[in-house]
Amino acid sequence: MIIHYTPRWPLMVHFACAIICFGMSTIYHLFCAHSKKMMNFWIKFDYLGICFMIAGSSTPAIVYSFCCDELENWRFFYLSFMWGGCTLTGLIMMIPYFDKDSFAGLRGIIFSVTGLFNLVPIFHIVNFVEPKYLHHFYYQPWLLGGLMYLLGAFFYGTKFPEKCCQGRFDIFGSSHQLMHILIVSAALSHYYGAI
């Protein structure tokens, strides 16, 4: 039986997770210059916000693509898979050892791998779900958003472009700024895919 309505709660999950992610990032950036102790405390929340964003961005795509009753088990499996993976990543990020600046690249890789878990349900959708079960689902906005997330993680992890041009990107165009622009753009792309 094919359902003919679109549940709204996945979009609300996406909104809530985006608010958590950007809110945590705002609080971290507000207090990171206060003291090393405050920075070390709030960076953990920034990392958790990223985990929420990955899981929250995945939720509408999974729910909407596995929405009919025949695919209900897959929907629960992939939602558990994504939220479980993001929970594990969040727990890893809580370990103080990973706070060092030298681990920025590793953190970027861990967040990227967590986000790449989304390729599993997308592969399933594209190759194994019959089109009659997909109610107006387009995977392009989800892939575009995922690519922007990965590109943001690349800039964050490599510190490009300021790494190769010392002092030229201190005010505008730093890797951190590019990463934030890409993350907001990816969230908007996923919002477009959800509506």
Side-chain angles (χ1 to χ4, degrees):
M1 173 177 166
I2 299 174
I3 64 168
H4 297 287
Y5 70 93
T6 304
R8 298 288 179 221
W9 68 265
L11 190 56
M12 296 300 112
V13 168
H14 175 70
F15 279 142
C17 290
I19 290 168
I20 290 169
C21 176
F22 299 137
M24 297 290 188
S25 181
T26 300
I27 292 170
Y28 163 68
H29 285 87
L30 182 65
F31 290 110
C32 70
H34 180 275
S35 66
K36 183 74 171 162
K37 182 179 177 182
M38 289 292 279
M39 186 190 87
N40 288 339
F41 177 76
W42 287 108
I43 191 74
K44 306 265 192 248
F45 291 96
D46 194 28
Y47 297 154
L48 286 177
I50 295 167
C51 294
F52 272 103
M53 191 72 217
I54 294 169
S57 291
S58 309
T59 299
I62 292 169
V63 171
Y64 294 153
S65 58
F66 296 99
C67 201
C68 66
D69 295 336
E70 288 83 354
L71 301 172
E72 183 178 32
N73 290 336
W74 286 111
R75 179 176 65 237
F76 289 128
F77 172 75
Y78 286 127
L79 283 173
S80 300
F81 180 68
M82 283 309 305
W83 281 88
C86 290
T87 300
L88 179 62
T89 299
L91 291 173
I92 290 170
M93 291 299 138
M94 293 299 102
I95 300 170
Y97 183 74
F98 289 108
D99 286 346
K100 299 174 187 169
D101 288 339
S102 59
F103 285 115
L106 178 63
R107 286 191 302 269
I109 289 170
I110 291 172
F111 286 128
S112 296
V113 168
T114 304
L116 286 171
F117 286 166
N118 281 304
L119 291 177
V120 176
I122 288 174
F123 180 81
H124 185 152
I125 294 163
V126 171
N127 293 300
F128 299 110
V129 175
E130 294 180 41
K132 70 178 181 177
Y133 293 122
L134 296 175
H135 181 66
H136 300 295
F137 180 77
Y138 305 101
Y139 62 88
Q140 294 87 350
W142 303 101
L143 289 177
L144 177 63
L147 289 173
M148 286 189 273
Y149 281 138
L150 286 173
L151 191 56
F154 168 80
F155 283 123
Y156 172 80
T158 61
K159 303 293 185 211
F160 181 83
E162 68 267 12
K163 189 174 189 176
C164 63
C165 302
Q166 296 288 329
R168 294 197 65 190
F169 298 99
D170 288 348
I171 298 175
F172 296 111
S174 72
S175 60
H176 202 89
Q177 292 167 339
L178 294 174
M179 184 254 322
H180 277 286
I181 290 167
L182 286 163
I183 299 307
V184 170
S185 300
L188 290 172
S189 179
H190 283 177
Y191 169 74
Y192 176 77
I195 60 168

mmCIF file of all heavy atoms in Angstrom, residues 1-3 67-74 133:
data_model
loop_
_atom_site.group_PDB
_atom_site.id
_atom_site.type_symbol
_atom_site.label_atom_id
_atom_site.label_comp_id
_atom_site.label_asym_id
_atom_site.label_seq_id
_atom_site.Cartn_x
_atom_site.Cartn_y
_atom_site.Cartn_z
ATOM 1 N N MET A 1 0.842 -1.183 0.000
ATOM 2 C CA MET A 1 0.000 0.000 0.000
ATOM 3 C C MET A 1 0.886 1.245 0.000
ATOM 4 O O MET A 1 1.762 1.412 0.830
ATOM 5 C CB MET A 1 -0.875 -0.019 1.244
ATOM 6 C CG MET A 1 -1.665 1.206 1.445
ATOM 7 S SD MET A 1 -2.672 0.925 2.919
ATOM 8 C CE MET A 1 -3.193 2.523 3.233
ATOM 9 N N ILE A 2 0.654 2.116 -0.931
ATOM 10 C CA ILE A 2 1.435 3.339 -1.044
ATOM 11 C C ILE A 2 0.726 4.444 -0.265
ATOM 12 O O ILE A 2 -0.469 4.666 -0.447
ATOM 13 C CB ILE A 2 1.612 3.741 -2.520
ATOM 14 C CG1 ILE A 2 2.366 2.641 -3.259
ATOM 15 C CG2 ILE A 2 2.309 5.064 -2.638
ATOM 16 C CD1 ILE A 2 2.470 2.863 -4.739
ATOM 17 N N ILE A 3 1.454 5.121 0.609
ATOM 18 C CA ILE A 3 0.835 6.199 1.373
ATOM 19 C C ILE A 3 0.807 7.464 0.520
ATOM 20 O O ILE A 3 1.634 7.647 -0.364
ATOM 21 C CB ILE A 3 1.549 6.449 2.710
ATOM 22 C CG1 ILE A 3 2.968 6.932 2.481
ATOM 23 C CG2 ILE A 3 1.537 5.239 3.580
ATOM 24 C CD1 ILE A 3 3.605 7.450 3.719
ATOM 25 N N CYS A 67 9.125 5.739 3.123
ATOM 26 C CA CYS A 67 7.932 6.175 3.837
ATOM 27 C C CYS A 67 6.782 5.172 3.793
ATOM 28 O O CYS A 67 5.997 5.101 4.727
ATOM 29 C CB CYS A 67 7.471 7.508 3.257
ATOM 30 S SG CYS A 67 6.426 8.440 4.368
ATOM 31 N N CYS A 68 6.670 4.396 2.735
ATOM 32 C CA CYS A 68 5.506 3.515 2.630
ATOM 33 C C CYS A 68 5.640 2.318 3.583
ATOM 34 O O CYS A 68 6.725 1.984 4.054
ATOM 35 C CB CYS A 68 5.305 3.049 1.196
ATOM 36 S SG CYS A 68 6.605 2.001 0.607
ATOM 37 N N ASP A 69 4.528 1.702 3.845
ATOM 38 C CA ASP A 69 4.477 0.612 4.820
ATOM 39 C C ASP A 69 5.403 -0.545 4.459
ATOM 40 O O ASP A 69 5.977 -1.187 5.340
ATOM 41 C CB ASP A 69 3.046 0.097 4.964
ATOM 42 C CG ASP A 69 2.113 1.143 5.555
ATOM 43 O OD1 ASP A 69 2.593 2.051 6.251
ATOM 44 O OD2 ASP A 69 0.901 1.028 5.302
ATOM 45 N N GLU A 70 5.546 -0.829 3.155
ATOM 46 C CA GLU A 70 6.380 -1.948 2.721
ATOM 47 C C GLU A 70 7.864 -1.739 3.052
ATOM 48 O O GLU A 70 8.627 -2.693 3.130
ATOM 49 C CB GLU A 70 6.233 -2.180 1.206
ATOM 50 C CG GLU A 70 4.904 -2.770 0.804
ATOM 51 C CD GLU A 70 3.802 -1.718 0.669
ATOM 52 O OE1 GLU A 70 4.041 -0.544 0.991
ATOM 53 O OE2 GLU A 70 2.692 -2.105 0.264
ATOM 54 N N LEU A 71 8.263 -0.503 3.227
ATOM 55 C CA LEU A 71 9.673 -0.177 3.492
ATOM 56 C C LEU A 71 9.912 0.273 4.934
ATOM 57 O O LEU A 71 10.986 0.785 5.256
ATOM 58 C CB LEU A 71 10.151 0.904 2.523
ATOM 59 C CG LEU A 71 10.052 0.545 1.038
ATOM 60 C CD1 LEU A 71 10.365 1.744 0.186
ATOM 61 C CD2 LEU A 71 10.959 -0.619 0.706
ATOM 62 N N GLU A 72 8.931 0.076 5.793
ATOM 63 C CA GLU A 72 9.011 0.545 7.174
ATOM 64 C C GLU A 72 10.223 -0.011 7.923
ATOM 65 O O GLU A 72 10.906 0.720 8.648
ATOM 66 C CB GLU A 72 7.725 0.175 7.913
ATOM 67 C CG GLU A 72 7.674 0.669 9.332
ATOM 68 C CD GLU A 72 6.360 0.310 10.004
ATOM 69 O OE1 GLU A 72 5.796 -0.748 9.663
ATOM 70 O OE2 GLU A 72 5.923 1.090 10.856
ATOM 71 N N ASN A 73 10.533 -1.298 7.751
ATOM 72 C CA ASN A 73 11.683 -1.890 8.442
ATOM 73 C C ASN A 73 12.984 -1.246 8.017
ATOM 74 O O ASN A 73 13.880 -1.021 8.842
ATOM 75 C CB ASN A 73 11.732 -3.400 8.206
ATOM 76 C CG ASN A 73 10.614 -4.122 8.924
ATOM 77 O OD1 ASN A 73 10.080 -3.617 9.905
ATOM 78 N ND2 ASN A 73 10.254 -5.295 8.437
ATOM 79 N N TRP A 74 13.116 -0.935 6.714
ATOM 80 C CA TRP A 74 14.325 -0.259 6.239
ATOM 81 C C TRP A 74 14.423 1.143 6.829
ATOM 82 O O TRP A 74 15.510 1.604 7.181
ATOM 83 C CB TRP A 74 14.344 -0.197 4.715
ATOM 84 C CG TRP A 74 14.662 -1.504 4.083
ATOM 85 C CD1 TRP A 74 13.822 -2.298 3.359
ATOM 86 C CD2 TRP A 74 15.915 -2.196 4.139
ATOM 87 N NE1 TRP A 74 14.474 -3.435 2.960
ATOM 88 C CE2 TRP A 74 15.768 -3.402 3.426
ATOM 89 C CE3 TRP A 74 17.150 -1.919 4.724
ATOM 90 C CZ2 TRP A 74 16.799 -4.311 3.273
ATOM 91 C CZ3 TRP A 74 18.177 -2.828 4.579
ATOM 92 C CH2 TRP A 74 18.001 -4.002 3.866
ATOM 93 N N TYR A 133 7.262 3.260 -5.066
ATOM 94 C CA TYR A 133 7.289 3.474 -3.621
ATOM 95 C C TYR A 133 7.860 4.831 -3.237
ATOM 96 O O TYR A 133 7.820 5.214 -2.077
ATOM 97 C CB TYR A 133 8.101 2.383 -2.922
ATOM 98 C CG TYR A 133 7.458 1.025 -3.000
ATOM 99 C CD1 TYR A 133 8.128 -0.041 -3.575
ATOM 100 C CD2 TYR A 133 6.193 0.813 -2.487
ATOM 101 C CE1 TYR A 133 7.547 -1.289 -3.644
ATOM 102 C CE2 TYR A 133 5.591 -0.430 -2.558
ATOM 103 C CZ TYR A 133 6.274 -1.474 -3.135
ATOM 104 O OH TYR A 133 5.689 -2.695 -3.207
#
